[in-house]
Amino acid sequence: MAFSLHSLRPKAYVARYPKWLVGRKLLYASSALASLGDAMFGYSQGVMASVQVQPSFLRRMYGVNVTMDQIASGQTGVDPFVQAITVACLNITAFIASIYAAGVCDVLGRRMSVRIGAFVYLVAAIIQIFAPNLAALIVGRCIQGIGVGFLSMTVPIIQSEIAPGHSRGLFVSIEYLCLNSGYALSAWVGYGFFHVMPSEISWRGPYILQSVLAVILFLWTFLLPETPRFLVKAGFYEEALQTLADLHSNGNIDNPEILKTFQEIVEAVELEKKIGGDATWKELFTKYTRQTIMGITSQMFSQLNGINAILYFLPTNLSRGGFDIPKSLLYSGICAIVYVLGTIPTMFLVDTWGRKPILLFGSVGTCICLSIVGGLQFYADSIPSTAEFMFKRLQAANGIFAFVCIYLFVFGFSWGPVPWLLPAEVFAMRARAKGMALATGSNWAWNFIIAFITPPLFDSIKGGYYFILAGLVIISFFLVLIVYRETAFKTLEELAEVFGEPAFAPVLMSVSKTGEVSVMGRRTSDHSSSGSDSGGSINEMKEKTRSHGGRDEPERTVGLGIILEDDSEESLDRAQNGERKSVEISLA
């Protein structure tokens, strides 16, 4: 009998987070600690960048005995293509895993997908700590890519689904801030361990910390709440309502805004059931064409705009510009801090300025910086590497360092966080996991290409590579200007209307004083029919609501955006006829 992922679909949901955490603490803890998954990817980027300029690492992995001066001048004897494969192998497995993770995320849930990613990442980190040769290191990085693929696909979905509608950009920016912080941490850890050379702990040490981060994330997944939207989709209505309240109203399910948001989520899920359940891969290109273009190209240009061409090889690039190895590592750490600082303004502006203006600004800024860095690299390469010209060479290196910092700040503000936000919000829930998987897959595919071609291109055309990247940035500017839609200022459910699609399917629903939920007359505590149509009728709901009219704790009936406390024919007919309007409500 063939194995089906659906056979593992959760049959129950139990919240394990402590009650004292309920409220804003739970919301921010969930956001920050889930984002640890992206911090771990950022950390792995920085680790590879720092160890590649350490003689003990090069001797162990590539079998070459080189001095610091030879590394600084780029005369290591390491085949650029072998170096490229070592760096880029992670991206191939991350690409494959991010596509497969869509099914896991849809069927088993968001937090299970993070748990799997964290566990795989931990196994990979342990392999790299004890790697005896290059083959073992590559195996470890390939396995690590599987974990990174799961995490990078799932974490943005968690952020967008738990965030308040008016703060979605803030929460995904927190995620990217964590990613950049992971890179910054690795840069400074690498700089610190560099000083214990020639011991191999100088490059094994950073991998030990990487495994600690994986353990923390894995354990946190047992406390992390599942997203309310997934719980509704899985048929856990009461748990979804309580989780929504725990995240946004200190556990108060009577909060009118919580009930309104819950109603919108249920209506959106009901619409997706009527359409036909989860979207197919084909529908992403036929029904959700513009969203798919936005998701894939935003992630594509986040790579083609040059970030990992710089980050993966930052110490090498700075030493190529004229710095010695210790100073290259030190300045890489400073660049990483600047990169983190660039993300902070985005947290406060992405939900007020909007997504498009920030991307357009980022394209202009990064194009200017890449062009200047390319020109300075040509100038540095033209200066003889002799003592009498050392001052001029250091001037060029300082200029490269300054504009790399500006580039990283601008990128961290714009093309860094926003491409992770867009694919997590533009797709309807039925297509969100697959859409995010395609977008993330695009990121990893282009990430691999950039990581693979960068060493040989730098080796052959030097500073000209920066001008190629600047040309690609210009293309991204016009793509955003012409094709992209603004997605700020809307809830996830309302965004369907931005792309010309219906957002809601009318349903009638009641919530008792104890928090028990009924949809179209069916008690949702019966999860045996999870994922199927609710059944029942409006008339059954009328009869059911009237039967509670004489009780001390009447049911609250939520219908089409209207929360009703009475059993009048007028109120129920208004819901049945599909009228949506605001009414004064009292939940006391």
Side-chain angles (χ1 to χ4, degrees):
M1 185 176 180
F3 170 77
S4 172
L5 192 62
H6 288 270
S7 65
L8 301 177
R9 186 186 294 275
K11 303 298 191 296
Y13 171 77
V14 178
R16 294 188 175 92
Y17 47 86
K19 292 299 181 184
W20 59 264
L21 200 58
V22 167
R24 286 286 176 181
K25 294 190 293 293
L26 179 63
L27 180 62
Y28 289 125
S30 299
S31 176
L33 287 173
S35 295
L36 182 59
D38 276 325
M40 285 153 52
F41 163 56
Y43 187 88
S44 68
Q45 283 180 305
V47 166
M48 280 306 297
S50 64
V51 300
Q52 290 181 97
V53 293
Q54 296 192 22
S56 60
F57 177 82
L58 296 178
R59 183 169 52 253
R60 169 66 68 176
M61 296 302 162
Y62 301 109
V64 296
N65 289 292
V66 291
T67 65
M68 298 292 290
D69 289 337
Q70 287 176 308
I71 295 173
S73 63
Q75 299 172 355
T76 62
V78 176
D79 187 334
F81 285 100
V82 175
Q83 184 186 34
I85 285 294
T86 304
V87 174
C89 62
L90 179 150
N91 304 315
I92 288 293
T93 51
F95 166 75
I96 297 170
S98 65
I99 298 298
Y100 177 75
V104 174
C105 200
D106 267 339
V107 177
L108 304 186
R110 285 43 168 151
R111 66 174 182 171
M112 179 58 74
S113 185
V114 172
R115 187 176 303 161
I116 292 171
F119 179 77
V120 173
Y121 194 102
L122 174 61
V123 172
I126 293 172
I127 292 174
Q128 290 171 91
I129 291 171
F130 298 103
N133 50 42
L134 183 61
L137 181 73
I138 290 176
V139 168
R141 283 185 60 78
C142 287
I143 295 173
Q144 186 177 31
I146 296 173
V148 168
F150 268 82
L151 294 172
S152 62
M153 198 287 293
T154 309
V155 170
I157 294 178
I158 292 176
Q159 297 285 26
S160 66
E161 291 189 347
I162 68 172
H166 61 280
S167 303
R168 199 165 52 248
L170 166 64
F171 279 77
V172 178
S173 296
I174 290 173
E175 169 201 344
Y176 197 73
L177 178 68
C178 290
L179 188 154
N180 290 353
S181 298
Y183 177 81
L185 176 64
S186 70
W188 287 103
V189 168
Y191 178 68
F193 274 101
F194 174 80
H195 294 288
V196 302
M197 287 198 309
S199 169
E200 287 194 345
I201 196 66
S202 63
W203 63 267
R204 295 187 192 273
Y207 288 113
I208 296 173
L209 181 56
Q210 187 170 263
S211 66
V212 172
L213 296 176
V215 169
I216 293 172
L217 180 60
F218 178 76
L219 294 177
W220 174 246
T221 62
F222 291 94
L223 297 178
L224 182 72
E226 186 55 85
T227 71
R229 286 169 174 84
F230 174 79
L231 290 173
V232 169
K233 181 180 177 182
F236 302 114
Y237 289 84
E238 292 153 28
E239 293 86 345
L241 177 59
Q242 188 61 63
T243 301
L244 192 65
D246 287 347
L247 288 167
H248 300 291
S249 69
N250 295 315
N252 178 20
I253 63 172
D254 289 341
N255 186 305
E257 286 299 316
I258 294 300
L259 288 170
K260 177 178 179 293
T261 300
F262 181 60
Q263 174 71 8
E264 289 180 350
I265 295 171
V266 172
E267 289 181 348
V269 171
E270 288 298 316
L271 174 63
E272 291 162 10
K273 289 178 182 177
K274 293 179 184 297
I275 293 173
D278 290 339
T280 63
W281 292 104
K282 180 180 178 181
E283 282 184 293
L284 294 180
F285 297 94
T286 56
K287 183 177 178 60
Y288 302 103
T289 307
R290 187 182 294 270
Q291 295 96 312
T292 300
I293 291 173
M294 288 177 62
I296 289 177
T297 59
S298 64
Q299 289 282 8
M300 177 179 77
F301 279 107
S302 74
Q303 295 302 314
L304 295 181
N305 286 1
I307 187 61
N308 281 323
I310 290 177
L311 289 186
Y312 277 138
F313 308 98
L314 185 53
T316 305
N317 291 341
L318 292 176
S319 65
R320 186 184 290 114
F323 294 125
D324 59 26
I325 296 302
K327 184 170 283 188
S328 295
L329 287 170
L330 175 63
Y331 280 17
S332 294
I334 296 172
C335 284
I337 292 175
V338 173
Y339 191 24
V340 172
L341 293 176
T343 309
I344 294 175
T346 314
M347 296 168 62
F348 303 100
L349 297 176
V350 71
D351 290 313
T352 54
W353 284 15
R355 290 38 162 163
K356 285 184 65 173
I358 289 178
L359 287 177
L360 293 171
F361 171 82
S363 293
V364 173
T366 53
C367 181
I368 293 172
C369 291
L370 287 168
S371 300
I372 294 174
V373 170
L376 287 171
Q377 185 66 58
F378 274 126
Y379 174 66
D381 290 337
S382 70
I383 302 172
S385 300
T386 58
E388 60 182 306
F389 291 101
M390 185 57 64
F391 179 72
K392 282 188 175 181
R393 192 166 178 82
L394 284 176
Q395 282 185 317
N398 285 329
I400 290 173
F401 167 67
F403 280 97
V404 165
C405 283
I406 297 172
Y407 167 86
L408 289 172
F409 187 92
V410 174
F411 188 93
F413 170 69
S414 56
W415 279 96
V418 176
W420 290 103
L421 170 59
L422 287 177
E425 67 180 0
V426 297
F427 291 97
M429 185 171 177
R430 65 187 296 264
R432 190 168 298 143
K434 287 187 176 70
M436 189 70 206
L438 271 185
T440 309
S442 169
N443 176 286
W444 292 117
W446 288 102
N447 201 322
F448 168 78
I449 292 170
I450 291 294
F452 187 77
I453 67 174
T454 292
L457 281 178
F458 267 135
D459 193 53
S460 59
I461 64 176
K462 313 294 183 184
Y465 185 38
Y466 291 109
F467 289 98
I468 293 175
L469 297 173
L472 293 169
V473 172
I474 294 173
I475 296 174
S476 73
F477 176 90
F478 288 103
L479 179 71
V480 172
L481 185 67
I482 297 169
V483 177
Y484 284 24
R485 294 277 178 85
E486 183 54 69
T487 57
F489 324 119
K490 301 280 188 181
T491 68
L492 284 178
E493 285 68 40
E494 292 168 344
L495 273 177
E497 297 169 349
V498 172
F499 296 96
E501 299 167 5
F504 306 104
V507 298
L508 191 64
M509 178 176 69
S510 70
V511 184
S512 73
K513 286 290 187 181
T514 59
E516 191 172 7
V517 179
S518 291
V519 178
M520 295 294 286
R522 178 177 62 80
R523 291 283 182 184
T524 58
S525 55
D526 177 13
H527 295 299
S528 61
S529 56
S530 173
S532 62
D533 289 337
S534 299
S537 67
I538 297 288
N539 287 330
E540 288 174 359
M541 181 61 73
K542 286 183 183 182
E543 187 61 35
K544 178 178 175 298
T545 305
R546 274 195 289 269
S547 70
H548 287 277
R551 288 172 52 173
D552 293 334
E553 295 184 354
E555 291 215 352
R556 299 181 300 266
T557 303
V558 185
L560 307 169
I562 303 170
I563 301 175
L564 305 168
E565 286 277 3
D566 59 72
D567 61 350
S568 67
E569 289 286 339
E570 179 183 357
S571 297
L572 290 164
D573 286 338
R574 189 164 68 244
Q576 183 176 6
N577 292 332
E579 182 180 339
R580 297 179 62 94
K581 67 179 181 180
S582 298
V583 296
E584 183 177 352
I585 59 177
S586 173
L587 298 171

